[in-house]
Amino acid sequence: VVAFSSGNHAQGVALAARVCDSHAIVFMPRDAPAAKLAATRAYGAEVRFYDRQVEDREVLARALVMQSGRTLVPPYDDPRIIAGQGTATLELVQDTAGLDALVAPIGGGGLMAGAAIAARACRPAIKLYGVEPETANDTWLSLRAGQPVTIAPPATLADGLRVTCPGALTFPLLRAHLDEVLLVTEDEIKTAARWLALRMKLVVEPSGAVALAALMAGRLPLPAGARVGVILSGGNVDAATLSALLE
Amino acid sequence: VVAFSSGNHAQGVALAARVCDSHAIVFMPRDAPAAKLAATRAYGAEVRFYDRQVEDREVLARALVMQSGRTLVPPYDDPRIIAGQGTATLELVQDTAGLDALVAPIGGGGLMAGAAIAARACRPAIKLYGVEPETANDTWLSLRAGQPVTIAPPATLADGLRVTCPGALTFPLLRAHLDEVLLVTEDEIKTAARWLALRMKLVVEPSGAVALAALMAGRLPLPAGARVGVILSGGNVDAATLSALLE
C-alpha cells in the first residue's frame, strides 16, 4: 500500500500493513516530528520525504501507485477512512448520556466528518463544532466562500492540521453538518496541551488539543452547564516538543 | 482534620475536607513538589512546612491534634486508609481475567498492603511484588531484618516514597503477603516515566512509575507470558520535573 500523512495516519497504515503481511510506503513531510517518523518506521513502513512548501504529496503518491500497482490509502478523503475516524465519536456518544455538543479538530476533515455523521445519527439535535488553528484556517475560509479554498502551507505547532484545502468528500459533509468552525491561537493550543499533561495526566499532541483549546478559550457558543464531548485526537509528540510545551 | 503527607494524600485530605465542609491542616515537607503544594492549597487546605531532615512530621501532627482537638488522617498506617488504597487493585483484579502477578510501589506501605489484601482475597495464588527506589529501601531492609528498620531520609526522584520506616500496621501485612520487594535505580525510574509519557501518553510521577520500572528492568522473577498487573499510583509532577524527565 501507499499513503501520505503528517504522521498519525502513517503509523496506522504502517501497522495495518504489517498485520496484513503487506508493506507500506508512506510519504511524510521532511519536517514531520521525529516521534512520528520513528514510530512509522518502527511499524515497518518505508518512509519517503517530500517538501511541503514546494511538493504535492498527493501527486507523488498517485504517481507511485500508477507505477507500482500498489493500493492508495488516503489520510482523510475516503469514505472508509471517514467511517473509521467516526468510530471514536460513536463510542463517545454511546458511552455518554445526553451530550449537547461535540467539538473536534479539523485537518483534512476526515475525523470531523466521521464524528459529525456518527453524532448526528445518534443525537440529531447535537451541536457540532470543528476547530482549526487560526493559521491553518482553510476549512473556515472555505465554508465562508461556499467552496473549497486553498491556503499556503501553514505554520502551526499543530503539525497534523497543516492541511491547505478541505477534501472533495469531506468539505460537503462539513458544510452539511457543522454548526460552526472555531479558530484557536498557538498560545491557546499550548495552554490546552499543558493543562492536559499537568491536570488530566494525558500527553496530547498540539493537533489533538485544539478542540479542548477552543473550549478552554470560551469559543463555544453554549450556555453554562452544557455537556460537551471533546475529541483528543493524538498523542504523538517529540520529547523535545512536549518539554517545550511544559516550560 | 490534620494530615501529614508528601503531597498526594495531602490533596486527597484537602479535597475530602472541603467536600465535608471541614478544614484541613496538612504538614508537608519543605521540598515537596510545587505542583503538589499548589494543588493542596487550591483544594482549600492550610499547609504547614517541616524539614524532613531534622523534624518528625508525625510528632508535629500529633501535637497539633492534642492541642486543637482535630482528627488525624494518617497517610498509610490506618486500617481505613489501607482499605481505601486497596480499592484500585480490587478494580484491577475484577476487570482483568487471570492476573498471575501484581506489582505496586511501596512508600509507607499502605497502597501495597491494601493491594495485597485485595489481590489475595480475589486470587489466592497471585504473586505479589512491591517496589522501592534503591535509595529508599526501608521495607526491603526491614523484611530481611524481620522487624521495622529506620533509614536516614532518603534522596530519590520518587518524592512520594521518601519514607524512612514501614508502618506499624503495614509492615506485618507486607511481611505476610509479599513474595518479594524489588529495588530500582533512579535511571530505571526515569526510563519508565519517560516511556509512559511518550508511548502510553500518560503523565506519571516518578513515585508512581517505580512498579513499571521494575517490570521494564526485568526484575520480576516470572516466566515469559505471565499476566502482570502494574499499579501506577500518581501523576502529580511539576512541569519542570516532567520536562527534565523527557530530556
Side-chain angles (χ1 to χ4, degrees):
Chain A
V1 298
V2 173
F4 47 92
S5 162
S6 67
N8 285 336
H9 178 67
Q11 291 170 61
V13 171
L15 179 57
R18 168 183 282 181
V19 168
C20 299
D21 281 323
S22 181
H23 173 254
I25 300 177
V26 183
F27 289 88
M28 292 180 72
R30 212 173 295 280
D31 60 352
K36 293 183 180 181
L37 174 60
T40 303
R41 285 178 168 156
Y43 287 131
E46 176 186 335
V47 173
R48 298 196 186 169
F49 290 111
Y50 69 95
D51 181 336
R52 65 186 183 87
Q53 300 299 324
V54 299
E55 290 179 289
D56 184 329
R57 62 186 188 172
E58 196 161 342
V59 170
L60 295 170
R62 288 192 189 282
L64 178 62
V65 164
M66 290 291 287
Q67 164 210 318
S68 65
R70 285 169 175 252
T71 303
L72 183 67
V73 185
Y76 52 83
D77 222 18
D78 181 285
R80 292 156 296 185
I81 297 294
I82 293 170
Q85 297 194 343
T87 57
T89 296
L90 188 62
E91 290 175 18
L92 177 66
V93 173
Q94 285 173 342
D95 289 354
T96 317
L99 279 192
D100 299 308
L102 182 87
V103 55
I106 301 179
L111 176 71
M112 185 76 245
I117 291 167
R120 278 264 192 269
C122 299
R123 289 183 66 78
I126 200 167
K127 295 281 182 188
L128 294 169
Y129 302 102
V131 182
E132 291 184 306
E134 62 177 10
T135 54
N137 61 347
D138 53 300
T139 297
W140 186 86
L141 288 170
S142 300
L143 288 173
R144 263 148 198 76
Q147 59 184 14
V149 169
T150 299
I151 62 171
T156 169
L157 257 180
D159 56 83
L161 310 180
R162 289 172 189 156
V163 172
T164 57
C165 182
L169 286 177
T170 57
F171 179 67
L173 289 167
L174 299 186
R175 190 158 56 166
H177 288 297
L178 285 196
D179 287 280
E180 210 167 318
V181 173
L182 309 166
L183 301 178
V184 290
T185 68
E186 298 294 295
D187 274 351
E188 287 164 351
I189 297 170
K190 280 185 217 176
T191 298
R194 190 183 153 94
W195 185 85
L196 283 164
L198 297 178
R199 298 302 298 172
M200 299 294 282
K201 320 304 177 190
L202 288 174
V203 173
V204 178
E205 63 183 273
S207 308
V210 298
L212 182 67
L215 186 68
M216 288 175 71
R219 296 285 147 71
L220 273 67
L222 290 169
R227 285 172 67 82
V228 182
V230 179
I231 301 286
L232 306 175
S233 59
N236 291 305
V237 55
D238 287 348
T241 304
L242 180 55
S243 184
L245 281 171
L246 292 166
E247 272 155 15
Chain B
V1 297
V2 173
F4 48 93
S5 162
S6 67
N8 285 335
H9 178 69
Q11 290 170 62
V13 171
L15 180 57
R18 170 186 279 181
V19 167
C20 301
D21 281 325
S22 181
H23 173 257
I25 298 176
V26 183
F27 289 88
M28 292 180 70
R30 213 173 295 280
D31 60 353
K36 293 184 178 180
L37 174 59
T40 303
R41 284 178 168 156
Y43 287 132
E46 176 186 333
V47 174
R48 298 195 187 170
F49 291 112
Y50 69 95
D51 181 336
R52 67 186 181 88
Q53 300 298 327
V54 298
E55 290 179 287
D56 183 328
R57 61 187 188 170
E58 195 162 342
V59 170
L60 294 172
R62 290 193 188 278
L64 178 61
V65 164
M66 289 292 283
Q67 164 210 322
S68 65
R70 286 169 174 251
T71 303
L72 184 67
V73 185
Y76 51 84
D77 222 18
D78 180 284
R80 292 157 296 185
I81 296 295
I82 292 170
Q85 295 194 344
T87 58
T89 296
L90 188 62
E91 291 175 19
L92 178 65
V93 174
Q94 286 172 341
D95 289 354
T96 317
L99 279 192
D100 299 308
L102 182 86
V103 54
I106 302 180
L111 176 70
M112 185 75 245
I117 292 168
R120 278 264 191 271
C122 300
R123 288 184 65 78
I126 198 167
K127 296 280 181 188
L128 294 169
Y129 302 102
V131 183
E132 291 184 307
E134 62 176 11
T135 55
N137 62 347
D138 53 301
T139 298
W140 186 88
L141 288 171
S142 299
L143 287 173
R144 262 147 199 76
Q147 59 184 16
V149 169
T150 300
I151 62 172
T156 168
L157 257 179
D159 57 81
L161 309 181
R162 289 173 189 156
V163 173
T164 57
C165 181
L169 287 177
T170 58
F171 178 68
L173 289 167
L174 300 186
R175 189 159 56 167
H177 289 297
L178 285 194
D179 286 281
E180 209 167 319
V181 172
L182 309 166
L183 300 178
V184 290
T185 68
E186 298 295 295
D187 274 351
E188 288 165 350
I189 298 171
K190 281 186 216 175
T191 298
R194 191 182 152 96
W195 184 86
L196 283 164
L198 296 178
R199 299 302 299 174
M200 298 294 281
K201 320 304 177 188
L202 288 176
V203 173
V204 177
E205 61 182 275
S207 307
V210 298
L212 181 67
L215 186 68
M216 288 176 70
R219 297 284 149 72
L220 272 67
L222 291 169
R227 286 171 66 81
V228 182
V230 178
I231 302 285
L232 306 174
S233 59
N236 291 304
V237 55
D238 287 348
T241 304
L242 180 55
S243 185
L245 281 172
L246 292 166
E247 273 156 17

